């Protein structure tokens, strides 16, 4: 895996990502690192672990929601599974038990891969948060948007659902083409079915944005002088080009007068041509042979 500056394609290191979060005035603000991953790729996981350790370098014992300075928000767990993460963090359940309970759901991510992130977070005193609505709710969003939004309001505030705009929809459609960001999307954009699938994507984006915003909002209310940092990990289709999750967090923070720095790290196989505009601030380039054929970085 190689880390590159998206703008220049020059080699970069994890410390460069951290440096992007520092303001020119030297004033520490709340910060969010959005990591748009290609799912289940070993070298991508290695980069995420390095980044998590860099963001939370001091192992501080069990994580405390009220005082933790670093938070990890994960697409792989839906918000109804938060108790799984909490029990694991508290040492009340084993990795095997967590994986067994998780596999009874329809989320479908391999815990043999993602438990390494959860273990690292626990070891570093980082609080883990479930980030998405359940997959069943996303499917309902495709079939019946009104009913889905009514049910989603029981999981995150209804006002945190932010509709997608035309530019976001166009980019979303491009993800379904052979060369995202480059190929024509006119036919896809004309499809009512594609619009419904996009609504489901936006529902997921809005849910994770609500989780991230909630962390930032609680930190502001606490009056703590210590900045808080959030690492949000989701498929690259939810993060690239500043659409999706990050767009919604910025919107919610602006409404609440919360100043926040952010940086986008995304992933691409080495065979992909450079996109225009750059999909993020940094790109993790990996060998395409690593990619799990059942779990791509494209939205599902």
């Amino acid at each position: 895996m190689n880390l590159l500056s998206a703008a220049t394609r020059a080699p970069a290191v994890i410390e460069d990502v951290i440096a992007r979060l520092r303001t020119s005035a030297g004033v520490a603000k709340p910060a969010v690192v959005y990591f748009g991953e290609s799912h289940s790729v070993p070298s991508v996981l290695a980069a995420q672990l390095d980044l998590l350790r860099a963001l939370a370098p001091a192992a501080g014992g069990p994580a405390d929601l009220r005082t933790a300075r670093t938070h990890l928000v994960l697409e792989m767990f839906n918000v109804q599974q938060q108790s799984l993460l909490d029990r694991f963090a508290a040492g009340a359940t084993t990795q095997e038990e967590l994986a067994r309970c998780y596999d009874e759901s329809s989320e479908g991510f391999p815990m043999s891969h993602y438990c390494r992130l959860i273990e690292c977070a626990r070891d570093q005193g980082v609080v883990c948060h479930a980030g998405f609505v359940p997959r069943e709710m996303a499917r309902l969003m495709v079939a019946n948007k009104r009913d889905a939004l009514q049910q989603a309001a029981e999981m995150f505030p209804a006002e945190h659902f932010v509709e997608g705009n035309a530019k976001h929809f166009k980019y979303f459609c491009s993800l379904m083409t052979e060369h995202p960001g480059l190929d024509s999307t006119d036919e896809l954009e004309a499809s009512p079915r594609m619009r419904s699938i996009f609504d489901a994507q936006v529902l997921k984006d809005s849910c994770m944005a609500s989780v991230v915003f909630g962390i930032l909002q609680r930190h502001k209310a606490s009056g703590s002088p210590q900045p808080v940092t959030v690492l949000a990990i989701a498929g690259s289709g939810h993060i690239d080009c500043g659409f999706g999750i990050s767009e919604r967090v910025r919107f919610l923070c602006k409404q609440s007068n919360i100043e926040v720095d952010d940086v986008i790290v995304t992933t691409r196989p080495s065979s992909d041509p450079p996109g225009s505009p750059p999909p993020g601030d940094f790109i993790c380039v990996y060998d395409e042979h690593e990619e799990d054929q059942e779990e791509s970085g494209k939205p599902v």
Side-chain angles (χ1 to χ4, degrees):
M1 189 279 300
N2 296 315
L3 184 64
L4 304 176
S5 165
T8 65
R9 308 294 288 191
V13 293
I14 292 296
E15 289 73 18
D16 294 326
V17 178
I18 305 299
R20 284 292 297 268
L21 299 174
R22 299 172 185 158
T23 66
S24 57
V27 178
K29 294 181 184 177
V32 184
V33 179
Y34 300 98
F35 199 117
E37 71 161 25
S38 295
H39 297 316
S40 308
V41 175
S43 63
V44 170
L45 174 63
Q48 291 167 340
L49 291 169
D50 287 345
L51 180 55
L52 185 58
R53 294 185 185 107
L55 292 171
D64 186 324
L65 181 63
R66 296 166 298 175
T67 60
R69 293 176 55 187
T70 310
H71 298 255
L72 174 64
V73 186
L74 296 167
E75 167 189 351
M76 300 79 206
F77 290 82
N78 74 60
V79 292
Q80 294 180 330
Q81 295 175 315
Q82 183 63 47
S83 61
L84 287 179
L85 294 172
D86 293 342
R87 292 201 304 271
F88 185 77
T93 189
T94 65
Q95 178 179 327
E96 292 74 20
E97 291 168 336
L98 182 147
R100 178 179 54 78
C101 292
Y102 180 88
D103 289 343
E104 293 173 357
S105 74
S106 63
E107 295 307 311
F109 288 94
M111 284 298 100
S112 58
H113 182 92
Y114 290 100
C115 268
R116 291 187 59 192
L117 271 171
I118 302 166
E119 287 179 318
C120 180
R122 183 179 63 185
D123 292 344
Q124 300 299 117
V126 174
V127 177
C128 284
H129 302 260
F132 269 22
V133 294
R135 288 201 180 202
E136 294 84 356
M137 184 166 293
R139 296 188 187 104
L140 177 60
M141 189 72 167
V142 175
N144 190 319
K145 182 175 180 178
R146 181 178 178 179
D147 286 356
L149 288 177
Q150 287 178 343
Q151 293 186 29
E154 299 176 6
M155 299 182 186
F156 67 93
E159 62 270 21
H160 290 180
F161 176 77
V162 180
E163 294 279 4
N165 57 40
K167 289 184 178 179
H168 185 190
F169 181 50
K170 187 176 187 66
Y171 183 74
F172 175 78
C173 289
S174 82
L175 297 177
M176 307 301 173
T177 68
E178 185 176 357
H179 301 107
L182 302 175
D183 293 344
S184 172
T185 59
D186 292 348
E187 184 175 348
L188 289 170
E189 290 181 64
S191 165
R193 172 73 175 175
M194 187 58 62
R195 173 61 69 172
S196 295
I197 295 172
F198 177 62
D199 285 339
Q201 178 89 346
V202 168
L203 179 65
K204 298 174 185 178
D205 295 340
S206 295
C207 183
M208 183 175 275
S210 180
V211 174
V212 173
F213 173 68
I215 296 167
L216 301 173
Q217 192 175 43
R218 286 190 296 272
H219 176 262
K220 181 180 180 180
S222 75
S224 172
Q226 299 293 335
V228 67
T229 302
V230 182
L231 173 57
I233 296 178
S236 58
H238 295 280
I239 288 172
D240 283 3
C241 297
F243 293 124
I245 298 164
S246 62
E247 181 179 34
R248 282 153 182 77
V249 173
R250 292 188 193 106
F251 174 78
L252 294 172
C253 285
K254 184 176 181 180
Q255 284 190 322
S256 297
N257 295 315
I258 296 175
E259 292 188 14
V260 60
D261 287 329
D262 62 28
V263 62
I264 293 175
V265 182
T266 191
T267 51
R268 290 291 187 274
S270 56
S271 59
D272 266 23
S276 181
D281 301 297
F282 296 91
I283 303 175
C284 283
V285 180
Y286 62 91
D287 188 330
E288 58 267 31
H289 297 299
E290 290 187 81
E291 190 167 8
D292 183 341
Q293 297 304 312
E294 294 184 0
E295 290 284 353
S296 74
K298 294 184 179 182
V300 291

